[in-house]
Amino acid sequence: MCRPSLEDQTQEKIANLIKIAAEDYEEGQKLKIVIIGINKVGSELIHLVHDIAKRCGIHRIKPAPLDTTIELISKGEEKLNIKISDHEGIFKETGGDYWLTQLVCQAICLSKNITQTAPTKAELALDIPALRAKVTDRLDHAYSEPVIEFCRGNRFRSTNDPYLKLLKCVSEQESSIVDLTELANAHPDVRGSINNVKEKRLAILIDSKPICERYFYYNPATKHFAIEDPALFYFMKHLNWDDLRKKCGFRAGDREFDFDFAISFAGENRPLARAIKAQLETLDFSVFFDELFEANYLGQAWHKTFMDIFSDKSRFVVCLLDKFHLEKIWPTFERECFVPRVPEAAVIPIYLDNSSFPGISKDIVGIKFSPDGVPQEDIQNKITDEIIYKLAARIESI
């Protein structure tokens, strides 16, 4: 079974074997390689080796067409001596998936206590709302746990819900296989959440939780996300997402933020900012760090983007304050955006020297940090002890 979590090197080895098999077959040898279970997300392996795409293909098991679905339902009706009112309605509900069609028909029968052949012809109406509730309840025992574990992320926090927002948005699509970059661009209300997790955090979540890896597929290189179990997708499409949010333990906040932290810094302090960003991401925090999001904001003005992020879309602003931050144009602009948030305790200063800043009084509790005299191999530990732990505790205190 080829899964999207396979490393490119492994996929390339498989692709080379397929190419060799195809060449041997052309020379008269009946040698084939058949990979069972390859999904659309993983299909890029046939493009990893030059000249392979035209030698092989992917053969998908397609859902049943309308006439086959009607035939399947009719055979069941004959055996049970029943008549379901709307065959086409069932087909529209299940998309022709064989297993889901059978489950839906079973739910219709059970709603009328039909468990064996009826002594007289029974007419069964198709009640879509009642049907969806019954089927979703039936699937809950199988799919509730993986959905909740996915939504809670790699490190649960009651305010850390981008995975829930992503999954809910996917459930609202026609297809269960989506390009997350396209999805983010098409849905501004969840763009920040999707962009926050699609580079690294989503892959880490799926890799770290076997129950998520079993049901959810993601290729961070192509940004393709897939739910290939039709029953799981059906379950998600008809979930009560407000109830799910409560089950996950998320708190409803007065404001929605795209980022837990946005880091403001002068270019001279980029290495320190990058180290802070990396450690916060390890703890599954969403962090705005300019170079991570350049591709997401192509075609947009940095001026407008930075104003939104530092003034409104970040829960906290972490500012690395020193003489460079005071003198440089962009850090000064960022300061103008986030200084109005100082009274709401949303600005966390990290003081790198004794520079004074308008709007940021000396009595604001911040973090004093200096790497002077610290061996290079101990810098990361110093950042962890003096900065990261304190930032994490600040989030947890909300």
Side-chain angles (χ1 to χ4, degrees):
M1 181 175 180
C2 179
R3 304 188 62 174
S5 56
L6 287 177
E7 296 178 351
D8 285 349
Q9 185 178 7
T10 303
Q11 292 192 44
E12 188 169 357
K13 288 180 180 179
I14 295 172
N16 278 320
L17 286 173
I18 296 173
K19 181 178 179 181
I20 293 171
E23 290 172 346
D24 288 343
Y25 182 76
E26 289 174 354
E27 294 172 3
Q29 299 183 31
K30 296 183 178 180
L31 175 64
K32 290 185 179 180
I33 292 180
V34 179
I35 303 174
I36 299 174
I38 182 171
N39 53 62
K40 185 174 180 180
V41 176
S43 64
E44 64 268 12
L45 75 83
I46 69 172
H47 301 293
L48 287 176
V49 176
H50 175 68
D51 203 31
I52 192 177
K54 67 181 182 181
R55 299 168 183 258
C56 54
I58 298 173
H59 303 275
R60 297 179 177 85
I61 300 175
K62 297 180 179 180
L66 176 60
D67 57 346
T68 303
T69 300
I70 291 175
E71 181 184 359
L72 175 67
I73 297 171
S74 299
K75 288 182 177 180
E77 289 176 323
E78 182 182 348
K79 294 294 183 181
L80 289 172
N81 194 28
I82 62 172
K83 180 63 179 177
I84 299 175
S85 62
D86 187 358
H87 292 182
E88 291 191 15
I90 294 175
F91 174 78
K92 184 178 180 180
E93 187 72 8
T94 67
D97 180 74
Y98 291 96
W99 186 84
L100 195 54
T101 299
Q102 293 179 72
L103 184 65
V104 163
C105 290
Q106 183 188 55
I108 295 171
C109 292
L110 291 176
S111 68
K112 300 299 181 181
N113 295 316
I114 302 293
T115 58
Q116 57 186 351
T117 302
T120 58
K121 195 79 168 182
E123 299 285 338
L124 307 182
L126 180 61
D127 182 344
I128 292 295
L131 172 68
R132 288 174 177 173
K134 186 173 289 291
V135 172
T136 303
D137 184 65
R138 169 76 183 278
L139 295 173
D140 184 78
H141 74 282
Y143 297 128
S144 180
E145 184 180 1
V147 169
I148 288 174
E149 284 299 309
F150 183 95
C151 291
R152 286 168 64 92
N154 193 35
R155 293 173 181 265
F156 173 73
R157 296 189 306 280
S158 61
T159 58
N160 184 36
D161 63 353
Y163 304 102
L164 183 144
K165 292 176 181 175
L166 183 154
L167 208 58
K168 182 176 185 295
C169 189
V170 170
S171 75
E172 295 167 351
Q173 309 309 303
E174 289 298 320
S175 172
S176 63
I177 302 174
V178 297
D179 181 317
L180 292 192
T181 300
E182 294 179 359
L183 189 68
N185 290 336
H187 297 273
D189 54 324
V190 293
R191 180 181 298 156
S193 295
I194 294 174
N195 286 337
N196 279 334
V197 301
K198 70 183 175 69
E199 299 301 331
K200 293 181 180 179
R201 296 169 67 197
L202 181 55
I204 291 172
L205 166 63
I206 293 176
D207 288 344
S208 65
K209 289 189 174 183
I211 194 169
C212 293
E213 188 179 30
R214 195 177 309 145
Y215 294 101
F216 304 103
Y217 300 87
Y218 184 56
N219 188 315
T222 63
K223 305 299 185 289
H224 284 151
F225 179 80
I227 301 162
E228 295 208 331
D229 182 342
L232 171 56
F233 192 53
Y234 184 91
F235 174 75
M236 287 171 43
K237 288 185 80 69
H238 304 300
L239 266 179
N240 184 317
W241 287 90
D242 290 333
D243 286 349
L244 179 67
R245 170 177 281 276
K246 295 176 183 177
K247 287 182 181 179
C248 290
F250 292 121
R251 289 203 313 265
D254 295 331
R255 292 175 61 183
E256 292 286 333
F257 297 98
D258 289 350
F259 304 95
D260 293 315
F261 299 101
I263 305 178
S264 175
F265 59 94
E268 288 79 0
N269 295 312
R270 181 171 293 274
L272 175 58
R274 186 181 289 117
I276 293 172
K277 177 269 302 181
Q279 291 200 33
L280 287 173
E281 283 185 335
T282 300
L283 297 177
D284 204 22
F285 290 109
S286 56
V287 184
F288 178 78
F289 181 70
D290 57 4
E291 65 187 30
L292 284 180
F293 292 92
E294 288 175 354
N296 295 328
Y297 295 104
L298 288 177
Q300 302 180 40
W302 269 126
H303 181 276
K304 175 67 165 59
T305 298
F306 275 48
M307 180 180 294
D308 290 343
I309 290 168
F310 286 104
S311 64
D312 188 57
K313 292 186 177 180
S314 55
R315 189 179 299 276
F316 293 104
V317 175
V318 177
C319 47
L320 309 186
L321 300 181
D322 64 357
K323 63 179 183 179
F324 301 112
H325 202 287
L326 185 63
E327 297 168 355
K328 295 295 183 69
I329 294 176
W330 269 110
T332 298
F333 169 71
E334 293 168 7
R335 248 186 356 266
E336 291 172 353
C337 296
F338 66 70
V339 160
R341 302 185 64 190
V342 169
E344 64 186 72
V347 177
I348 303 175
I350 298 180
Y351 300 109
L352 304 180
D353 64 19
N354 293 321
S355 299
S356 297
F357 294 84
I360 304 177
S361 62
K362 288 291 186 178
D363 64 344
I364 292 178
V365 178
I367 301 170
K368 291 185 177 181
F369 183 85
S370 175
D372 294 345
V374 180
Q376 189 61 38
E377 61 270 18
D378 294 334
I379 290 295
Q380 291 295 327
N381 289 336
K382 184 176 175 67
I383 293 171
T384 302
D385 295 340
E386 298 185 12
I387 297 177
I388 304 303
Y389 286 159
K390 294 177 181 179
L391 296 180
R394 184 67 182 92
I395 284 281
E396 297 296 343
S397 69
I398 298 174

